Amino acid sequence: MSSATGPDTASGPRGPQLPDFPWDSLARHSAAAGAHPDGIVDLSVGTPVDPVPENLRRALGEVADKPGYPATHGTPELREAAVASLRRRHGVSGLEPDAVLPTIGSKELVAWLPTLLGVRPGDVVAIPELAYPTYEVGAKIAGAEVVRLAPGELPPPGTALLWLNSPSNPTGRVLDAQQLGESVRAAQELGAVVASDECYLALGWDTEPVSVLHPSVGADRRGVLAVHSLSKSSNLAGYRAGFVTGDPDLVRRLLELRKHAGMIVPRPVQEAITAALSDDSHVGEQRERYAARRAVLRPALEAAGFRIEHSQAGLYLWATRGEDAWQTVDWLAQRGILAAPGTFYGPAGDHHVRIALTATDERIAAAAKRLGE
């Protein structure tokens, strides 16, 4: 009997071949930045650092003693709060509460959506040229082909799923209603589903982002989904809180599959989501925190010789010094600042870095000071 245990000799079924987890490759740079006498300023990952609003924590605790299984579809109050929130905050009208489905954060939905939609090997999943890595991972889990689309490029024949992302992670680029509408109509002509990742919709700086479900984009929502997260706007990354909405038929299909798979948001988290969607004040307060940090960090980067591109919205500055991305990561690490190379998001990011606004005011100020030294 063979005693080999390496990956090439292991018996049994194997999962899909996925890219290496990109953040693991930053370990050396993280150590270099951590050696700075004043400590690291970690601007590589968009992890919220501010407190969870007290009213959301209170809502979580108020239903902590409910022993039964939660509903996969979420409570009626959650679904109604989501519809009201989209109408109030983003001008989205005509949604029915039944077309809302809570998710365990947004990443799990992104990763499993192609599989849940029945995307098969040979199908195409079209993603932005520069994109959140999990779009590609989700396609590979389903065995599909990934095609990266340059700005303005429409999906090719064979596309089963088109991912849109406005405001973009990593670039902060915003698609206007006309651009969104053109992409939606092109996908509908191919019979493809459109999934619009709108996790940063509440964080417009130089322009006001528009939801793919806004009336200005078009009235036909067949095959269209919008994905939302409360991680950024409500500091609920630790709660894993999100939802998807749009085409009622698609949402109904996803609901049935998720019931079978046990993909259920815990009941206390559902209560926190409902509270978050019902209260706009904490969203405005968090937005102001990020705006203040952006106002400190952007001019400091520009004064240090960086060019900031796009970055019209969202939690990141898309920056370049006109050199290889990893050289820039090294340059910043020597100053105790950790950033993400643009190559994490696609080959077209090879001369950029993504710099997050998700650090405390004190750490942002420290980064700005170091950039000026």
Side-chain angles (χ1 to χ4, degrees):
M1 180 184 296
S2 171
S3 61
T5 58
D8 293 333
T9 58
S11 61
R14 303 180 187 182
Q17 294 298 304
L18 301 179
D20 292 337
F21 190 63
W23 302 102
D24 292 344
S25 63
L26 275 178
R28 178 174 64 84
H29 304 86
S30 179
H36 190 279
D38 186 38
I40 189 173
V41 179
D42 190 346
L43 306 179
S44 64
V45 183
T47 299
V49 298
D50 300 303
V52 175
E54 195 278 332
N55 60 319
L56 310 190
R57 286 181 276 148
R58 186 171 60 248
L60 183 87
E62 286 174 350
V63 295
D65 191 29
K66 287 191 176 292
Y69 289 111
T72 307
H73 204 181
T75 66
E77 292 80 12
L78 183 156
R79 300 197 302 272
E80 291 163 4
V83 169
S85 171
L86 288 173
R87 181 174 59 247
R88 192 174 62 248
R89 297 177 187 175
H90 304 297
V92 174
S93 58
L95 283 177
E96 293 297 327
D98 280 354
V100 173
L101 178 59
T103 60
I104 311 163
S106 60
K107 185 171 184 175
E108 65 91 352
L109 181 76
V110 172
W112 290 105
L113 185 62
T115 299
L116 293 174
L117 290 174
V119 173
R120 298 285 186 267
D123 290 338
V124 170
V125 174
I127 69 175
E129 181 179 48
L130 290 162
Y132 180 48
T134 311
Y135 302 152
E136 179 180 12
V137 167
K140 288 184 176 296
I141 289 173
E145 178 187 352
V146 176
V147 171
R148 292 180 180 268
L149 302 180
E153 187 178 2
L154 298 177
T159 297
L161 173 62
L162 168 66
W163 275 107
L164 302 176
N165 181 209
S166 176
S168 162
N169 172 16
T171 69
R173 182 192 293 268
V174 173
L175 301 176
D176 62 27
Q178 180 178 344
Q179 292 168 317
L180 289 169
E182 289 172 353
S183 294
V184 167
R185 288 186 288 275
Q188 288 172 332
E189 289 176 4
L190 296 172
V193 171
V194 177
S196 179
D197 180 350
E198 301 182 350
C199 292
Y200 302 94
L201 200 62
L203 297 172
W205 310 121
D206 302 328
T207 189
E208 189 64 30
V210 177
S211 170
V212 75
L213 301 177
H214 193 274
S216 62
V217 174
D220 187 354
R221 293 173 176 168
R222 288 175 303 161
V224 179
L225 296 170
V227 179
H228 286 261
S229 167
L230 284 78
S231 295
K232 319 303 183 186
S233 58
S234 299
N235 291 333
L236 289 186
Y239 286 38
R240 310 312 303 132
F243 67 91
V244 62
T245 187
D247 180 337
D249 290 334
L250 272 182
V251 172
R252 191 177 303 113
R253 284 169 49 195
L254 293 174
L255 171 61
E256 291 306 312
L257 288 164
R258 291 173 70 88
K259 283 180 180 179
H260 285 291
M263 296 169 126
I264 310 171
V265 175
R267 181 65 178 84
V269 175
Q270 292 188 27
E271 200 72 11
I273 292 173
T274 305
L277 293 173
S278 301
D279 170 42
D280 296 342
S281 61
H282 77 279
V283 176
E285 290 168 8
Q286 188 58 45
R287 173 189 167 87
E288 290 308 310
R289 292 188 188 105
Y290 287 134
R293 292 164 187 166
R294 184 176 185 269
V296 171
L297 193 55
R298 178 168 186 157
L301 286 164
E302 291 173 331
F306 285 82
R307 186 172 72 252
I308 308 298
E309 296 182 353
H310 310 305
S311 306
Q312 300 165 299
L315 276 183
Y316 312 103
L317 295 171
W318 187 240
T320 180
R321 298 174 77 226
E323 64 188 7
D324 180 81
W326 284 103
Q327 285 183 256
T328 306
V329 171
D330 282 332
W331 187 91
L332 289 166
Q334 291 165 18
R335 289 154 180 81
I337 301 168
L338 188 65
T343 47
F344 280 9
Y345 309 97
D350 61 351
H351 281 67
H352 291 75
V353 293
R354 193 196 75 169
I355 299 175
L357 303 176
T358 50
T360 64
D361 294 348
E362 182 274 332
R363 289 288 84 186
I364 292 289
K369 180 180 178 184
R370 295 175 194 182
L371 288 166
E373 292 174 349

